[in-house]
Amino acid sequence: MSEPISIRAMGLPDIDAVVEIAAGLALAPHWGREVFLASLYPEDGPPRVALVAEVAGVVTGFAVASVLAPQSELESIAVQSDAQGRGIGRELLIAIMNAAALPGIEEMVLEVRESNRTALEFYRRAGFLEVGRRRAYYMTPLEDALVMRRPIP
Ligand SMILES: CC(C)(COP(=O)(O)OP(=O)(O)OC[C@H]1O[C@@H](n2cnc3c(N)ncnc32)[C@H](O)[C@@H]1OP(=O)(O)O)[C@@H](O)C(=O)NCCC(=O)NCCS
């Protein structure tokens, strides 16, 4: 039987695990500690929600979204490579959409590398639709971003 997945707010003690997960994934944004810390204490930026997924007490994934009415932007979501394909990403995405469903928030938007077929399919399955393209949005390698959105009820 597979271990239950629990989703909770990201806290200071999670930052090392979260940075390590991101560093181990070619397609995750390689934010430094300071960026994740700023997600927890957004003094200078928009308010954010930041969650982690735990399986058997081990942090295996995370998601961060800004929340600035009328939009929430999903800034990052990632699951440790050997824990992928078990529903952890889906649980994280549902939880962060619920956490971002604050008064005045009408939709969640995100950007994704055009070549990241796994993430594109993952988002489509969660009800996101492609609504645009940002040319040369990503560096190393240079690539377009597809913009996706989903209404937040
Ligand atoms: C995208 C990512 C977060 C998905 O997490 P995951 O835990 O593997 O996804 P899940 O197991 O919850 O799958 C959820 C859905 O996505 C689909 N999916 C997941 N991986 C897929 C793949 N490789 N190909 C096609 N569909 C896939 C699943 O079929 C599933 O659909 P269902 O709910 O209809 O069954 C994970 O692959 C990841 O961390 N990738 C690297 C970082 C990244 O690209 N992040 C997004 C851009 S910043």
Side-chain angles (χ1 to χ4, degrees), residues 77-79 84-90 116 118 121-123 125:
I77 184 165
V79 173
Q84 289 178 8
R86 289 196 235 153
I88 298 171
R90 183 177 50 227
N116 191 349
T118 298
E121 189 56 31
F122 168 72
Y123 293 133
R125 298 250 185 159

Side-chain angles (χ1 to χ4, degrees), residues 15-56:
I15 299 286
D16 286 345
V18 163
V19 170
E20 197 177 320
I21 291 168
L25 294 166
L27 291 167
H30 295 152
W31 294 353
R33 283 181 61 85
E34 66 289 352
V35 183
F36 286 107
L37 282 171
S39 304
L40 301 184
Y41 309 106
E43 286 169 10
D44 298 325
R48 288 191 161 81
V49 286
L51 304 178
V52 293
E54 263 185 348
V55 179

Side-chain angles (χ1 to χ4, degrees), residues 5 21-22 25-29 60-62 74-81 83-93 110-113 116-126 138:
I5 303 161
I21 291 168
L25 294 166
L27 291 167
T60 51
F62 65 88
L74 182 64
E75 298 179 319
S76 186
I77 184 165
V79 173
Q80 197 181 8
S81 55
Q84 289 178 8
R86 289 196 235 153
I88 298 171
R90 183 177 50 227
E91 296 282 320
L92 270 169
L93 189 51
L110 60 88
E111 284 108 11
V112 55
R113 274 188 187 271
N116 191 349
R117 308 318 295 181
T118 298
L120 277 167
E121 189 56 31
F122 168 72
Y123 293 133
R124 284 187 191 124
R125 298 250 185 159
Y138 293 106

Side-chain angles (χ1 to χ4, degrees), residues 8 47 61 76 109 131:
R8 59 169 176 77
S76 186
V109 295
V131 292

